[in-house]
Amino acid sequence: MLHAHLEQSSTKPLPVVIIGNGPSGICLSYLLSGNIPYVTRNAIHPNPILQRKLEETPKLSILDQDIEYLSEGLEGRSSSPVALLFDALLRPDTDFGGTADSVLAWWHQPERAVPHLVLGKNLPGGAWHSIEGSMFTLSQGDWMGLPDLPFKDWLSKKKRGFRNNRATAGDIAQYYQYYVAKKGLKKNFLCGSFVTSVKKLSMDSDSCYTGPDSRDRSCMWNFSEQQQADPQTDHGSLFQVDGLITTLNGTQPFSLYAENVVLATGTYDSPSQLRVKGEHLPFVHHSLSALEEAVKNKEIGPMSDPILIVGAGLTAADAVLFAHHCNIPVIHAFRRRVNDPALIFNQLPKTMYPEYHKVHQMMKEQAVLCPGPYECYISLPEHHIVSFTEDRKCIFRDKSHRQKVHNISMAFVLIGSTPNLSYLPNNGVDLAVDCEQPVSSKRNPIDIEPFTYESVHEKGLYAMGPLAGDNFVRFVQGGALAIASSLLKKVNKNPP
C-alpha cells in the first residue's frame, strides 16, 4: 500500500493529502470519495427560510450550490456558518430536542471522486483511541456520528444504548473504525504515519525553506514571482510532505507530493504546561492515563499523601471522580472562582451531566477554609501553582498573594492541550489569526476563508476541526463540506 502511494506521488502528485485521521479527516475522505449529498426528494426542513432556498435548486447537490447563500442567517452553537449549515441538514432540529431525520440523501458518484491520502499515527479515529475507553463523551451520542451512518444505529446493532444520551470514548473509537471500513475508505488511509515536515516547493524557483526554526516568514511559504502576479496559477507549486511510517517491518521515511494539503491533526497532542519551577520532576504528570497507571501499579492509594489535581475542566473533573472512586485523597487547585460563568460546569445541564455537577458541588463545598461533607478532598479555588520541590511539596499562591505549602504524592496538571504543529514552518504561527502568537483552537486558530476553509495566508493549504476553531465532532463536518466543495471546483469535478 505504502509503496503504491509513494510511487504514484513520485510520478504524479496527489491532488490532496490530509494530515490527521480523526473524525475531521474521515468525514472529508468520505466526501472526496465520490459521496455527494443531495436534498431528499419531498423533504421538508423545519427552518422555512432554509427550506425555501433548498427548493430553488432541488436537483443540484449541496457541494455544487452557493454554500455562503445557504448558510446566511443560520444561528446555533458554532461561529462557523458552514458548520451550522451542514449540521442543520444532518440534524434539522436537534437543538430543540427534536429527532427529525436528515434531509440529505447520499449518492455515490465515483466519477467525481478526488484521489487523496489520509495520514495518521493511530487507527482511524485519531485521538479517540488514546482516551480512556470508559469515559463518557461531553456531546450527545447522536452528535458524534458521521454522514450517512447514524451512531445510534451502529450502537443499536451492538445491543447497547446511551447513558443520559451520551456514549463512551471506546464506543466512539470503534464506530470510527467501523465507519471507515463500511464506507470503503480504508484504501485512502495510511495509519502508523508520523508527519515531520510540510513545506511548499515552487517549481519555478528553488525552495528557500530552511527548516521549522526559520524566522524568515517571506521564505517559509515560498511563491514564485509569476504565482504572485497570477494567484489563479496553482500548478507552479507543490507541497512536500515528509514523515515516518511504522509497520510490522519497522520504521522507514517517506516523502509525498501534493497539490493541496489539509491540516486536520486536532489539539490532543501536547498537554499544556504550567511553566513553573519543578514541573519536570518525575512525580508531576500531564495526563489522566498517568493517574490510572499509578493506581493500577499501586504507587498511590488511600493511605498516600494527597495527589494534586490542577485544572477546572472536564479532564480534571474526570481525575477527581476517578481518585474519589479509589478513595485517594485529593487537593484540587484551579485559578477560577467556583461561580465563574466561564467555568464549563456552569454551562452543562445537570440532568445530562450529573457526575460533573457532583465535582462542581465538591469544588464549592469543600474549600480548604470550609470543611464539607466530602472526605479526602480539598478544593483550592483562585490558587496558582508557584513551584514543585524535589521532596514532593507544592507551593501555592492564593488570591491574596499569600503562599502555602502542601505535601503531595503525585501531581496531575490537566489544564488542556495545544496542537503540535512542529511539522510546519515556525510551528504554524504564521498561519494563525494572530501571527505573533501560537496556534490555539480556542484563542488563536488558523486563519481560514469561512466558506472554503482554505488558509488566508497560504493557498492550497486548508485547516479543519479544532485547528480551525471547530472543537466538536458535530461541527467539524461543516469544514469537510467547505473543503470538499472547494477542491471539487479546483479539479473541475463539478457538473456544468
Side-chain angles (χ1 to χ4, degrees):
M1 177 76 75
L2 172 62
H3 293 294
H5 285 304
L6 290 176
E7 185 176 337
Q8 176 186 355
S9 184
S10 63
T11 56
K12 183 179 180 182
L14 286 163
V16 186
V17 166
I18 303 167
I19 304 174
N21 65 356
S24 298
I26 294 172
C27 185
L28 180 56
S29 179
Y30 180 67
L31 290 169
L32 294 180
S33 296
N35 298 296
I36 311 298
Y38 292 81
V39 176
T40 303
R41 185 177 300 176
N42 300 323
I44 303 295
H45 197 282
N47 183 320
I49 298 176
L50 180 56
Q51 173 64 23
R52 190 187 72 243
K53 293 178 181 179
L54 295 173
E55 289 174 349
E56 293 173 6
T57 51
K59 295 184 179 181
L60 204 59
S61 86
I62 298 298
L63 288 172
D64 303 313
Q65 296 194 38
D66 185 340
I67 292 177
E68 182 174 359
Y69 171 64
L70 292 178
S71 304
E72 188 178 4
L74 293 177
E75 297 179 348
R77 301 184 186 185
S78 171
S79 59
S80 165
V82 185
L84 292 174
L85 171 64
F86 205 26
D87 186 61
L89 297 172
L90 290 168
R91 291 168 281 270
D93 58 354
T94 189
D95 279 337
F96 302 100
T99 57
D101 291 334
S102 169
V103 298
L104 295 180
W106 293 88
W107 294 6
H108 184 58
Q109 298 175 317
E111 71 280 3
R112 301 195 63 191
V114 178
H116 63 279
L117 188 61
V118 185
L119 306 177
K121 292 181 289 185
N122 296 317
L123 295 169
W128 285 96
H129 292 281
S130 304
I131 301 173
E132 167 59 38
S134 62
M135 292 294 177
F136 282 90
T137 61
L138 176 62
S139 297
Q140 293 186 39
D142 285 346
W143 295 350
M144 306 302 294
L146 297 176
D148 200 32
L149 183 60
F151 177 73
K152 62 182 179 182
D153 293 353
W154 173 83
L155 199 62
S156 66
K157 290 181 180 179
K158 295 171 65 70
K159 295 182 171 54
R160 299 268 297 282
F162 295 128
R163 173 184 166 185
N164 293 327
N165 289 320
R166 293 157 64 202
T168 66
D171 283 337
I172 297 298
Q174 289 183 42
Y175 164 76
Y176 291 145
Q177 273 191 266
Y178 177 83
Y179 185 94
V180 168
K182 179 71 173 178
K183 296 299 182 181
L185 307 179
K186 290 180 73 172
K187 63 182 180 297
N188 303 321
F189 281 70
L190 196 60
C191 300
S193 54
F194 177 74
V195 174
T196 57
S197 170
V198 176
K199 54 191 175 185
K200 192 164 191 177
L201 307 175
S202 174
M203 295 175 68
D204 299 320
S205 62
D206 291 336
S207 171
C208 61
Y209 179 85
T210 56
D213 295 326
S214 169
R215 302 295 298 179
D216 183 358
R217 188 173 167 201
S218 64
C219 190
M220 280 189 235
W221 297 102
N222 185 45
F223 285 101
S224 68
E225 293 181 5
Q226 177 184 352
Q227 288 172 289
Q228 291 172 338
D230 181 10
Q232 298 300 316
T233 305
D234 285 338
H235 61 266
S237 60
L238 289 173
F239 291 95
Q240 179 177 332
V241 180
D242 296 328
L244 300 170
I245 177 75
T246 300
T247 65
L248 294 176
N249 298 321
T251 300
Q252 65 182 91
F254 68 83
S255 287
L256 296 169
Y257 297 91
E259 297 165 4
N260 301 277
V261 170
V262 181
L263 308 178
T265 46
T267 63
Y268 196 74
D269 284 314
S270 302
S272 297
Q273 306 275 323
L274 291 168
R275 303 191 185 283
V276 299
K277 184 179 179 181
E279 192 172 4
H280 67 285
L281 291 169
F283 63 89
V284 181
H285 303 272
H286 296 81
S287 69
L288 179 58
S289 60
L291 171 57
E292 295 162 348
E293 194 70 17
V295 171
K296 179 181 175 181
N297 295 335
K298 298 182 179 180
E299 297 175 47
I300 51 177
M303 304 306 294
S304 305
D305 281 337
I307 64 169
L308 170 65
I309 296 173
V310 183
L314 298 181
T315 304
D318 287 332
V320 170
L321 289 167
F322 182 79
H324 189 63
H325 176 74
C326 298
N327 296 315
I328 295 170
V330 172
I331 298 173
H332 185 193
F334 46 97
R335 295 181 299 174
R336 295 185 184 273
R337 295 176 289 112
V338 290
N339 57 351
D340 188 329
L343 209 63
I344 185 65
F345 309 105
N346 292 316
Q347 303 172 34
L348 300 176
K350 289 185 179 181
T351 53
M352 276 187 66
Y353 306 96
E355 73 277 34
Y356 290 136
H357 280 278
K358 178 181 179 180
V359 173
H360 193 206
Q361 186 178 11
M362 293 167 68
M363 292 162 66
K364 290 188 289 188
E365 296 182 4
Q366 199 81 5
V368 66
L369 298 178
C370 308
Y374 303 101
E375 295 183 9
C376 304
Y377 175 86
I378 295 175
S379 171
L380 297 180
E382 298 180 82
H383 278 62
H384 289 72
I385 309 301
V386 176
S387 64
F388 299 98
T389 63
E390 291 186 2
D391 56 351
R392 296 188 183 241
K393 288 181 171 61
C394 181
I395 302 172
F396 302 84
R397 186 179 68 248
D398 66 16
K399 62 180 179 180
S400 301
H401 296 278
R402 292 188 298 256
Q403 290 194 356
K404 58 188 72 171
V405 180
H406 283 279
N407 292 322
I408 60 173
S409 57
M410 301 180 81
F412 301 91
V413 179
L414 305 172
I415 56 174
S417 58
T418 55
N420 180 2
L421 299 178
S422 59
Y423 57 87
L424 295 177
N426 198 21
N427 291 298
V429 169
D430 305 287
L431 302 173
V433 173
D434 181 350
C435 295
E436 302 298 321
Q437 298 295 324
V439 174
S440 164
S441 62
K442 295 181 179 178
R443 294 177 296 277
N444 192 32
I446 290 176
D447 200 3
I448 57 169
E449 299 289 352
F451 299 101
T452 65
Y453 277 56
E454 190 168 19
S455 167
V456 168
H457 302 291
E458 185 59 44
K459 298 306 177 188
L461 193 72
Y462 295 79
M464 64 187 304
L467 294 180
D470 294 331
N471 290 294
F472 292 97
V473 172
R474 172 184 174 187
F475 294 120
V476 302
Q477 301 172 53
L481 180 74
I483 295 171
S485 178
S486 173
L487 292 173
L488 281 166
K489 291 180 174 68
K490 278 188 178 183
V491 298
N492 296 318
K493 292 205 175 183
N494 280 351

mmCIF file of all heavy atoms in Angstrom, residues 255-279:
data_model
loop_
_atom_site.group_PDB
_atom_site.id
_atom_site.type_symbol
_atom_site.label_atom_id
_atom_site.label_comp_id
_atom_site.label_asym_id
_atom_site.label_seq_id
_atom_site.Cartn_x
_atom_site.Cartn_y
_atom_site.Cartn_z
ATOM 1 N N SER A 255 8.294 10.417 1.574
ATOM 2 C CA SER A 255 8.031 11.749 1.047
ATOM 3 C C SER A 255 6.881 11.655 0.061
ATOM 4 O O SER A 255 6.862 10.760 -0.791
ATOM 5 C CB SER A 255 9.256 12.331 0.336
ATOM 6 O OG SER A 255 10.249 12.716 1.261
ATOM 7 N N LEU A 256 5.922 12.549 0.203
ATOM 8 C CA LEU A 256 4.798 12.621 -0.707
ATOM 9 C C LEU A 256 4.705 14.033 -1.262
ATOM 10 O O LEU A 256 5.133 15.003 -0.615
ATOM 11 C CB LEU A 256 3.484 12.294 0.032
ATOM 12 C CG LEU A 256 3.334 10.889 0.613
ATOM 13 C CD1 LEU A 256 2.121 10.836 1.530
ATOM 14 C CD2 LEU A 256 3.185 9.864 -0.507
ATOM 15 N N TYR A 257 4.144 14.141 -2.449
ATOM 16 C CA TYR A 257 3.942 15.457 -3.057
ATOM 17 C C TYR A 257 2.457 15.632 -3.337
ATOM 18 O O TYR A 257 1.793 14.714 -3.811
ATOM 19 C CB TYR A 257 4.773 15.590 -4.332
ATOM 20 C CG TYR A 257 6.249 15.514 -4.035
ATOM 21 C CD1 TYR A 257 6.919 14.284 -4.054
ATOM 22 C CD2 TYR A 257 6.968 16.651 -3.682
ATOM 23 C CE1 TYR A 257 8.267 14.199 -3.745
ATOM 24 C CE2 TYR A 257 8.315 16.582 -3.372
ATOM 25 C CZ TYR A 257 8.961 15.355 -3.402
ATOM 26 O OH TYR A 257 10.289 15.277 -3.078
ATOM 27 N N ALA A 258 1.958 16.817 -3.018
ATOM 28 C CA ALA A 258 0.523 17.060 -3.128
ATOM 29 C C ALA A 258 0.259 18.469 -3.619
ATOM 30 O O ALA A 258 1.002 19.415 -3.308
ATOM 31 C CB ALA A 258 -0.160 16.852 -1.778
ATOM 32 N N GLU A 259 -0.827 18.586 -4.375
ATOM 33 C CA GLU A 259 -1.242 19.906 -4.850
ATOM 34 C C GLU A 259 -1.948 20.687 -3.746
ATOM 35 O O GLU A 259 -1.914 21.921 -3.727
ATOM 36 C CB GLU A 259 -2.163 19.741 -6.063
ATOM 37 C CG GLU A 259 -1.473 19.094 -7.252
ATOM 38 C CD GLU A 259 -2.461 18.609 -8.301
ATOM 39 O OE1 GLU A 259 -3.670 18.843 -8.129
ATOM 40 O OE2 GLU A 259 -2.014 17.985 -9.279
ATOM 41 N N ASN A 260 -2.599 19.967 -2.845
ATOM 42 C CA ASN A 260 -3.299 20.596 -1.722
ATOM 43 C C ASN A 260 -3.049 19.768 -0.467
ATOM 44 O O ASN A 260 -2.978 18.534 -0.531
ATOM 45 C CB ASN A 260 -4.811 20.668 -1.980
ATOM 46 C CG ASN A 260 -5.159 21.445 -3.229
ATOM 47 O OD1 ASN A 260 -5.243 22.665 -3.219
ATOM 48 N ND2 ASN A 260 -5.354 20.727 -4.336
ATOM 49 N N VAL A 261 -2.925 20.439 0.669
ATOM 50 C CA VAL A 261 -2.735 19.765 1.951
ATOM 51 C C VAL A 261 -3.795 20.260 2.928
ATOM 52 O O VAL A 261 -4.058 21.463 3.020
ATOM 53 C CB VAL A 261 -1.318 20.028 2.520
ATOM 54 C CG1 VAL A 261 -1.218 19.538 3.959
ATOM 55 C CG2 VAL A 261 -0.265 19.347 1.668
ATOM 56 N N VAL A 262 -4.410 19.312 3.638
ATOM 57 C CA VAL A 262 -5.420 19.638 4.646
ATOM 58 C C VAL A 262 -4.867 19.293 6.022
ATOM 59 O O VAL A 262 -4.457 18.153 6.266
ATOM 60 C CB VAL A 262 -6.733 18.860 4.406
ATOM 61 C CG1 VAL A 262 -7.776 19.239 5.464
ATOM 62 C CG2 VAL A 262 -7.276 19.142 3.010
ATOM 63 N N LEU A 263 -4.846 20.276 6.913
ATOM 64 C CA LEU A 263 -4.387 20.078 8.283
ATOM 65 C C LEU A 263 -5.575 19.702 9.150
ATOM 66 O O LEU A 263 -6.496 20.505 9.333
ATOM 67 C CB LEU A 263 -3.720 21.346 8.820
ATOM 68 C CG LEU A 263 -2.616 21.961 7.951
ATOM 69 C CD1 LEU A 263 -2.084 23.236 8.595
ATOM 70 C CD2 LEU A 263 -1.485 20.957 7.723
ATOM 71 N N ALA A 264 -5.567 18.489 9.682
ATOM 72 C CA ALA A 264 -6.692 18.003 10.493
ATOM 73 C C ALA A 264 -6.179 17.232 11.705
ATOM 74 O O ALA A 264 -6.740 16.223 12.102
ATOM 75 C CB ALA A 264 -7.600 17.113 9.637
ATOM 76 N N THR A 265 -5.094 17.738 12.312
ATOM 77 C CA THR A 265 -4.425 16.987 13.375
ATOM 78 C C THR A 265 -4.976 17.266 14.766
ATOM 79 O O THR A 265 -4.507 16.674 15.739
ATOM 80 C CB THR A 265 -2.917 17.289 13.371
ATOM 81 O OG1 THR A 265 -2.708 18.705 13.250
ATOM 82 C CG2 THR A 265 -2.241 16.602 12.212
ATOM 83 N N GLY A 266 -5.948 18.154 14.897
ATOM 84 C CA GLY A 266 -6.562 18.376 16.202
ATOM 85 C C GLY A 266 -5.621 19.015 17.201
ATOM 86 O O GLY A 266 -4.573 19.565 16.845
ATOM 87 N N THR A 267 -5.978 18.911 18.490
ATOM 88 C CA THR A 267 -5.199 19.586 19.523
ATOM 89 C C THR A 267 -4.835 18.664 20.679
ATOM 90 O O THR A 267 -4.419 19.120 21.738
ATOM 91 C CB THR A 267 -5.986 20.780 20.108
ATOM 92 O OG1 THR A 267 -7.180 20.282 20.757
ATOM 93 C CG2 THR A 267 -6.374 21.761 19.041
ATOM 94 N N TYR A 268 -4.988 17.367 20.497
ATOM 95 C CA TYR A 268 -4.823 16.441 21.616
ATOM 96 C C TYR A 268 -3.358 16.101 21.886
ATOM 97 O O TYR A 268 -3.037 15.486 22.886
ATOM 98 C CB TYR A 268 -5.608 15.162 21.337
ATOM 99 C CG TYR A 268 -5.840 14.280 22.548
ATOM 100 C CD1 TYR A 268 -6.770 14.644 23.523
ATOM 101 C CD2 TYR A 268 -5.136 13.095 22.718
ATOM 102 C CE1 TYR A 268 -6.995 13.845 24.628
ATOM 103 C CE2 TYR A 268 -5.359 12.283 23.823
ATOM 104 C CZ TYR A 268 -6.290 12.664 24.774
ATOM 105 O OH TYR A 268 -6.505 11.876 25.869
ATOM 106 N N ASP A 269 -2.451 16.521 21.008
ATOM 107 C CA ASP A 269 -1.085 16.004 21.037
ATOM 108 C C ASP A 269 -0.243 16.467 22.226
ATOM 109 O O ASP A 269 0.470 15.668 22.825
ATOM 110 C CB ASP A 269 -0.350 16.391 19.743
ATOM 111 C CG ASP A 269 -0.796 15.531 18.575
ATOM 112 O OD1 ASP A 269 -0.870 14.313 18.742
ATOM 113 O OD2 ASP A 269 -1.078 16.084 17.515
ATOM 114 N N SER A 270 -0.287 17.749 22.551
ATOM 115 C CA SER A 270 0.659 18.307 23.514
ATOM 116 C C SER A 270 -0.053 18.895 24.716
ATOM 117 O O SER A 270 -0.712 19.939 24.591
ATOM 118 C CB SER A 270 1.508 19.396 22.837
ATOM 119 O OG SER A 270 2.185 18.878 21.727
ATOM 120 N N PRO A 271 0.041 18.267 25.884
ATOM 121 C CA PRO A 271 -0.596 18.831 27.079
ATOM 122 C C PRO A 271 -0.030 20.213 27.404
ATOM 123 O O PRO A 271 1.174 20.455 27.263
ATOM 124 C CB PRO A 271 -0.244 17.825 28.176
ATOM 125 C CG PRO A 271 0.146 16.567 27.466
ATOM 126 C CD PRO A 271 0.739 17.002 26.166
ATOM 127 N N SER A 272 -0.896 21.119 27.828
ATOM 128 C CA SER A 272 -0.447 22.446 28.212
ATOM 129 C C SER A 272 0.371 22.374 29.495
ATOM 130 O O SER A 272 0.132 21.524 30.362
ATOM 131 C CB SER A 272 -1.648 23.373 28.425
ATOM 132 O OG SER A 272 -2.368 23.536 27.218
ATOM 133 N N GLN A 273 1.340 23.271 29.618
ATOM 134 C CA GLN A 273 2.258 23.284 30.754
ATOM 135 C C GLN A 273 1.978 24.496 31.644
ATOM 136 O O GLN A 273 1.546 25.544 31.172
ATOM 137 C CB GLN A 273 3.709 23.360 30.258
ATOM 138 C CG GLN A 273 4.090 22.285 29.259
ATOM 139 C CD GLN A 273 4.527 20.998 29.911
ATOM 140 O OE1 GLN A 273 5.179 20.998 30.948
ATOM 141 N NE2 GLN A 273 4.187 19.875 29.290
ATOM 142 N N LEU A 274 2.259 24.346 32.946
ATOM 143 C CA LEU A 274 2.180 25.483 33.861
ATOM 144 C C LEU A 274 3.377 26.416 33.688
ATOM 145 O O LEU A 274 3.297 27.607 33.967
ATOM 146 C CB LEU A 274 2.162 24.988 35.308
ATOM 147 C CG LEU A 274 0.915 24.247 35.778
ATOM 148 C CD1 LEU A 274 1.186 23.587 37.131
ATOM 149 C CD2 LEU A 274 -0.269 25.186 35.871
ATOM 150 N N ARG A 275 4.502 25.821 33.257
ATOM 151 C CA ARG A 275 5.760 26.550 33.100
ATOM 152 C C ARG A 275 6.226 27.138 34.435
ATOM 153 O O ARG A 275 6.525 28.330 34.547
ATOM 154 C CB ARG A 275 5.636 27.644 32.035
ATOM 155 C CG ARG A 275 5.207 27.096 30.680
ATOM 156 C CD ARG A 275 5.332 28.100 29.565
ATOM 157 N NE ARG A 275 4.812 27.592 28.318
ATOM 158 C CZ ARG A 275 5.433 26.718 27.526
ATOM 159 N NH1 ARG A 275 6.612 26.261 27.871
ATOM 160 N NH2 ARG A 275 4.883 26.302 26.398
ATOM 161 N N VAL A 276 6.248 26.279 35.457
ATOM 162 C CA VAL A 276 6.739 26.687 36.771
ATOM 163 C C VAL A 276 7.926 25.806 37.147
ATOM 164 O O VAL A 276 8.152 24.729 36.569
ATOM 165 C CB VAL A 276 5.634 26.571 37.850
ATOM 166 C CG1 VAL A 276 4.461 27.481 37.521
ATOM 167 C CG2 VAL A 276 5.183 25.118 38.025
ATOM 168 N N LYS A 277 8.674 26.256 38.136
ATOM 169 C CA LYS A 277 9.850 25.524 38.585
ATOM 170 C C LYS A 277 9.448 24.158 39.143
ATOM 171 O O LYS A 277 8.490 24.040 39.900
ATOM 172 C CB LYS A 277 10.564 26.330 39.668
ATOM 173 C CG LYS A 277 11.859 25.702 40.154
ATOM 174 C CD LYS A 277 12.533 26.574 41.204
ATOM 175 C CE LYS A 277 13.827 25.923 41.713
ATOM 176 N NZ LYS A 277 14.480 26.755 42.767
ATOM 177 N N GLY A 278 10.165 23.130 38.745
ATOM 178 C CA GLY A 278 9.929 21.781 39.250
ATOM 179 C C GLY A 278 8.898 20.990 38.474
ATOM 180 O O GLY A 278 8.634 19.824 38.805
ATOM 181 N N GLU A 279 8.326 21.578 37.426
ATOM 182 C CA GLU A 279 7.288 20.853 36.676
ATOM 183 C C GLU A 279 7.863 19.635 35.954
ATOM 184 O O GLU A 279 7.126 18.722 35.585
ATOM 185 C CB GLU A 279 6.598 21.801 35.682
ATOM 186 C CG GLU A 279 5.332 21.239 35.077
ATOM 187 C CD GLU A 279 4.565 22.254 34.238
ATOM 188 O OE1 GLU A 279 5.069 23.390 34.056
ATOM 189 O OE2 GLU A 279 3.470 21.909 33.752
#
